Amino acid sequence: MKIRLALLATLIFSIASSAPSLAAGERFALVIGNAKYPDADAPLKEPINDARDVADELKRDGFIVDVGENLTGDGMRRAFDKLYGKIKPGSVALIFFSGYGIQSNRQSYMIPVDAQIWAEPDVRRDGFSLETVLGDINSRGAGVKIALVDASRRNPFERRFRSFSAGLAPVIAPNGTLVMYSAALSSVISDNGSDHSLFVRELLKEIRTPDLMAEEILNRTRVGVTRASRQEQVPWISSSLAEDFSFSPGGAPRPSNALPAPPPAEVAVTPPAPPPPPPAPPVKTATAPTPPPPAPPKPAEITLPPPPPPAPTIVQPAPTTPPSPSALALADDPTIKGLNDKLDKDPDDAAALYRRGQVFASKGAYDLAIKDFTNSLRVNPKDVEAYNNRCWVRTVVGDLQAALRDCNEALRLRPNFVDALDSRGLMNLKSGQNKNAIADFDAALKINPRLTSSLYGRGLAKKRNGSIAEGDLDIANAKAMDPNIVKEFSEYGVQ
């Protein structure tokens, strides 16, 4: 029932200090491409190819490069620790990450392929904060830090959050840091269907241009991406570099008022370290990753409960939600304003319609959210996320017959879709179909035993069905995991 976060492929890029004593610093790079997330419908096409191409270019530029593909949380932690261990005062440290990213608590997180994200605290538990990584690199003596983040994708985790915070957040980074995201703050972009991202393609083209400094390369990359995407994708840059830095080992820094930039040292290029094997796979789905990680086993099929009885058995309660804010009242919201601009140019932009529907739903503008999800489905009739989110919103406002159709369609398109089971369970609970609600919540909890909303909903349904002790136990366990769950359900009109 949760509205997805719209979020992420992230890259980080660190480079050595601007002081004269750093002139002899070595250049180290960690390049990560994460493509095979079991929670996604299909592997991402771009990250692996992009990571390999970036690694090859950095080797030519004098970096000692480690490459990681489809890294788990343990794999990413070991890769970062290995990088930290190499850095000495004067070193250049670069991290490139392409995959999914999520904004949480005003920080941007890089997500490993085995992340189990069902609530926002899971992001901070399983993800890797960009700010933390930059801080760790800085504390080990790297003077110039550059973070390039290509993680502004619509990701498979965002549907699990009832709050909405799309894209990536601004970075509070140490001095001597250059940060670039592949898209604007708090915005997401659709995959272009290519084997390489537009962002990396433009970045590599500019890096290969002789006699350009790093800031100029990134600014030219931003211009190239903006033009090629017809302003649909505008990268974001933030810099606190004290002087010029050149990616090219032979690039001569240009004069500036700051101290002269140190020439990069000649270093030996080492082959990339193989990524470590992943831990046990997530329970929901599994797709066989390309080497080096072995393929996780496919989970057992879970039999879906039969759909609830047809329309005549459902009693429509009176709407219990407060009046929705109007489109005019929300027009000044920066995220909505940006999406409005996109939709003015292309009213059939399904991704923008979907994202605006999420924002409207998170702000209680349910009628507007339903309209946007409906228009998104008109353009893309197989968008299971839009069906599930419309089911959830319709359930909240009490349009239960329509909600049931949406949830059933989502489950037809994606059997065992845990969020649609959770949403349909709520719909059954509101309509008084307690046995069907228990069946839906049971199925959802078999897939994810930590899904608090299904656990709490099942407890309510069990109590209504006469199993008081079992229901009280579910409710107590759900409240222990999420103390706000009672208030949340009361806002849905369920107590």
Side-chain angles (χ1 to χ4, degrees), residues 377-398:
L377 287 165
R378 172 180 53 79
V379 180
N380 181 13
K382 294 186 178 181
D383 189 342
V384 293
E385 309 295 351
Y387 276 115
N388 173 59
N389 286 344
R390 192 173 66 175
C391 170
W392 177 80
V393 175
R394 282 175 163 170
T395 297
V396 171
V397 300

Side-chain angles (χ1 to χ4, degrees), residues 10 18 118 140 153 155 168 170 188 243 286 318 386 403 425 475 477 493:
T10 298
S18 57
W118 299 94
R140 286 161 174 80
R153 295 178 172 93
N155 65 71
L168 301 178
V188 295
E243 63 176 76
I475 290 171
N477 288 333

Side-chain angles (χ1 to χ4, degrees), residues 136-157:
D136 286 342
I137 290 172
N138 184 66
S139 68
R140 286 161 174 80
V144 177
K145 283 70 58 181
I146 298 180
L148 306 174
V149 179
D150 191 5
S152 301
R153 295 178 172 93
R154 174 177 164 184
N155 65 71
F157 308 106

Side-chain angles (χ1 to χ4, degrees), residues 15 211 223 288 346:
I15 308 178
D211 302 324
V223 171
D346 181 8

